[in-house]
Amino acid sequence: MRSKHFLPSSDDQILERPLHVGCPNMGSRSAFLKRVDEILDSRWFSNNGPLVQEFERRIANFLQVKHCICVCNATVGLEIAARAAGVKGEVIVPSYTFVATAHALQWQEITPVFADVDPTTHNINPAFIERHITPRTSAIFATHLWGRACPVENLESIAKKHGLLLMFDAAHAFGCSYRGQWIGGFGLAEVFSFHATKFLNSFEGGAITTNEDDLAQKIRLMTNFGFSGYDNVVHLGTNGKMTEICAAMGLANLEAIDDLILTNRKNYECYRTSLARIPGLCLMEYPSDEKCNFQYIVVEVQDNAKATRDFLVELLHAHNILVRKYFWPCCHRMEPYRSLYPYSGNFLHCSEKLSERILVLPTGNSIGEKDILRTCNVLGSALS
Ligand code: T4K
C-alpha cells in the first residue's frame, strides 16, 4: 500500500508551511491587547475578576442559560460538575471521545462504564445504554461529539426511567443547537472547553452551564476552594478558577464568534466540494436544521478506499499537513482503563471501528482555500 511515489522531496516540505489540526483561532488582536493593558493597570489577575464576570455573563446571555461558571479547563470543569451533582459509583460514558471525559470520573474513583456509539452521529447510542445499568450506576455522561448534539430526549427518558443524573461533556459544542435550543441548558449541567484548539478559545479554559440554582452555587464554591467570602470556607473545594488573561482572550474570541463560524463553514463547504471527487472518503455531515460551529472536519475512510486511514495520516504528515486520528485509541484501550476493565471492548464494536477509520483535517481561521486544496490533492493522489 505504501508508495514512495506519494512522498514529497525534502525541498517540497520546506516550501510548504505546516497545517495543524487545532491551530488556534484569533479574534481581534487589538481588542485582546486593550484588555491585557486594563488587566496590567488594574493589577487584578485572577479570583473572579471583572473580565471573568463579564465573560460568564456574556456566555449565559448567548446560550440563554441561567448560570455560567468559568473554569481553568474543561477537565477540571467535568470533575467539579460531577462532584457537585453527587455523581458516584458507576457512570455510563462513550469510549469514543477524548480521554478527559473518562479521566474526570476515574480521577475521583468513579467508574466510567463505556457504552457504544452511533455509526452516523458518533454520539453515545441510547439503544446500548440500558444493558450497562447496574444498581451502582448514578449517571449518564454523554459527549456532544464534534459539536453534534446527542439524542437528548432519548437520554432524558432513560435517565428518568432509572433515576439517573444526566450531564453533558459539551467541550466541542459551543454555538451548536439541539431542536433549535443552544447546547448549554440540557441535563443537569453541561461543560464547555475553551482550550487553545477549540474554535472559541481562551488559551486554556472552560465553562460549566446549568439552570439549577443550588447546583450553580455549589459549583461556584467548589471552584474556589469552598470559600464563601473572606476567610470562610463552607465546602470542600479545589482551584478551578479562570484567570483574567484567559477571560480577555475568551471575550475577544466571543466577539468574533460569527466570523469564526462563517470561516469554519466556508472551509467545510470547500472540503465538501473537493472531497466529493475522491472515492473512499465520507465527510461527516452536520444537521442542516441545527446551529453548528463546524470546528471539526471529520472524514471516514471507507472499506473500499485504496489506502488505509493510517497510511493517509503518514502521507499527509510527510507533506507537513498535521492531521489527527481523533479519537484513537478509544478510551477503553488507554490506561488505566485497558488494565482495569480489559473486557469492556466486547461491547464497543462501532467505537473501535470509528477510531480505526476517522481522520480529522485542519480548519479554523489560519486555514484558507489554498490549504484545503493542498490537503485534498494529497488525499486525491493516494485514493483516486
Ligand atoms: N472533552 C472532550 C470531548 C474534549 O475533546 C476535551 C479536550 C476535553 C473534554 C477536555 O478539555 P480541556 O480540559 O482541554 O479544556 C487536544 C486538546 O489539548 C484538548 O483540549 C482537546 N479536547 C483535544 C481534542 O485536542 P491533543 O492531545 O490532541 O493535543 P495536542 O497537543 O496534540 O494538540 C492538538 C493540535 O493542536 C496539534 O495539531 C497542535 C495544535 N496546536 C495546539 C496548541 C495547544 C496548535 O497549533 N497550537 C497550540 O497552541 O488534545
Side-chain angles (χ1 to χ4, degrees), residues 278-332:
I278 305 175
L281 296 181
C282 178
L283 177 66
M284 160 78 117
E285 296 282 337
Y286 293 102
S288 57
D289 54 347
E290 298 289 2
K291 302 263 190 218
C292 176
N293 60 35
F294 294 94
Q295 73 174 309
Y296 288 104
I297 305 292
V298 181
V299 174
E300 185 168 347
V301 181
Q302 295 172 307
D303 287 335
N304 63 352
K306 279 194 190 158
T308 63
R309 188 274 307 268
D310 289 358
F311 173 82
L312 295 173
V313 169
E314 216 182 302
L315 177 66
L316 287 157
H317 281 208
H319 282 82
N320 237 352
I321 303 169
L322 303 171
V323 299
R324 296 300 296 257
K325 306 189 219 179
Y326 287 144
F327 288 97
W328 179 87
C330 290
C331 295
H332 70 280

Side-chain angles (χ1 to χ4, degrees), residues 98-153:
F98 188 61
V99 74
T101 319
H103 275 358
L105 298 165
Q106 186 72 40
W107 187 254
Q108 36 200 342
E109 298 187 7
I110 299 165
T111 305
V113 176
F114 299 113
D116 212 358
V117 295
D118 179 278
T120 309
T121 66
H122 303 183
N123 281 323
I124 198 162
N125 189 338
F128 297 139
I129 289 183
E130 284 184 296
R131 67 172 64 166
H132 297 290
I133 295 176
T134 74
R136 293 191 70 230
T137 310
S138 69
I140 302 169
F141 252 56
T143 304
H144 302 294
L145 205 74
W146 318 125
R148 272 190 79 134
C150 290
V152 175
E153 280 171 9

Side-chain angles (χ1 to χ4, degrees), residues 20-24 73-75 78 97-98 100-101 143 169 171-172 193 195-198 204-205 296 322 324 326-327:
H20 284 281
V21 165
C23 184
N73 60 61
T75 309
L78 287 164
T97 176
F98 188 61
T101 319
T143 304
D169 177 338
H172 300 176
S193 171
H195 181 260
T197 56
K198 297 294 179 286
E204 285 269 3
Y296 288 104
L322 303 171
R324 296 300 296 257
Y326 287 144
F327 288 97

Side-chain angles (χ1 to χ4, degrees), residues 1 9 11 52 87 93 101 125 155 183 262 269 351 358 373:
M1 193 67 82
S9 71
D11 285 353
V52 166
V87 170
V93 292
T101 319
N125 189 338
L155 297 176
I183 288 175
L262 195 65
E269 295 301 341
S351 305
I358 295 294
L373 296 180

Side-chain angles (χ1 to χ4, degrees), residues 5 14 16-17 57 61 63 115 122-123 152 182 184 221 223 265 340 347 353 362 370 382:
H5 175 71
I14 291 162
E16 300 284 19
R17 74 180 176 102
R57 257 193 326 271
N61 277 343
L63 299 178
H122 303 183
N123 281 323
V152 175
W182 293 115
L221 283 173
T223 302
R265 184 169 194 141
L340 286 173
F347 298 100
K353 198 166 168 189
K370 196 165 151 266

